[in-house]
Amino acid sequence: MLSAKSLFQEILDNDESFRLFCSIAASGESQGGWENARIAALVPQTERELAPKIARHGADEDKHGRIFNALLKKRGLRPVPVPPDTDYTMLLERHGIGLAHEKLTADKPLTVQDIVTYLAHSRVTEQRASEQMDLLRRHFADHPDIGRAVRVISQDEDNHLAYCHEELLRFARAGHGRAIQRTLRECALAEIRIYRDVSLAVMAHMGRILRWPRSRSLVLTAGIHAVYAWERLAGWRRMVSLRMPERRNALGGPATTAAEFA
């Protein structure tokens, strides 16, 4: 029976598919680490108290990249170049989600509106990350090779999502509510389309590596399109709601290390 668990188990069991999966994940996390570090350095003076949390977010993303690379090293594998059609982070930027790299590479401080935009975009993408890692945690939390990594990353993603909710609510109380809701909606509708395209690309690459029969590829493709149809109709709304999280000040402390995975 085809299920999320059996599908990922098949990818996990094959060196080449596992190599591609970890390479894609490590690249995206490392890019997110760089972006957050730059945003933390450019936070406007009026929001400097937020800088350590943004820096913590970036440190976590860097850690996740190191974890995925350590999983490869543990199996004697080296990273492979990430196919452009599977580069979720790059495609998000190309479609205007996240702050432009031209802005992040400059030395000019960001505006408060830039920070609001960053948090709104992060709230959408962290929703996706939290859900994906929760799925892996449900099925592979006790796996001898990847279980600890899955648990650590999943907890971090939950913290990132909680932080985005809390900070956006703070900005909403400060008068940015309409801008936040507009940005959240625009970002969510763009993200679900990009996620669909990336999912199709990843499955195509995995299918070639694992030599899936055409029937399996067609089933998976249909499933991805069905998820997109649901998200386009109503599912995107889960990405734009805001509520005070149970985890308050989730990024208020120092980042944990990834030394145990190296």
Side-chain angles (χ1 to χ4, degrees), residues 12 18-19 30 35 79 91 104-105 132 140 158 186 226-227 235:
L12 178 63
F18 184 69
R19 191 182 182 197
S30 297
E35 290 174 358
L91 292 170
L104 298 184
T105 54
Q132 288 182 319
F140 295 97
D158 289 347
E186 292 172 353
V227 169

Side-chain angles (χ1 to χ4, degrees), residues 112-127:
V112 172
Q113 185 56 53
D114 288 332
I115 299 301
V116 170
T117 298
Y118 148 73
L119 286 168
H121 291 173
S122 294
R123 186 262 176 272
V124 171
T125 55
E126 292 298 338
Q127 178 79 37

Side-chain angles (χ1 to χ4, degrees), residues 26-112:
S27 175
E29 296 285 358
S30 297
Q31 182 63 35
W34 176 84
E35 290 174 358
N36 277 278
R38 288 301 301 155
I39 292 168
L42 299 173
V43 168
Q45 192 61 40
T46 56
E47 297 296 333
R48 290 309 300 172
E49 291 185 1
L50 192 56
K53 296 181 182 181
I54 300 174
R56 161 72 186 276
H57 190 177
D60 284 346
E61 303 287 2
D62 276 336
K63 177 183 69 177
H64 300 167
R66 295 195 303 274
I67 289 173
F68 283 114
N69 282 319
L71 291 175
L72 286 174
K73 184 178 180 181
K74 186 176 181 180
R75 283 183 45 172
L77 302 172
R78 296 176 63 85
V80 296
V82 175
D85 57 353
T86 69
D87 195 332
Y88 175 77
T89 306
M90 179 193 71
L91 292 170
L92 288 173
E93 184 199 354
R94 185 177 297 171
H95 286 80
I97 300 177
L99 300 180
H101 280 194
E102 290 82 0
K103 185 170 288 189
L104 298 184
T105 54
D107 290 328
K108 183 179 179 181
L110 299 172
T111 66
V112 172

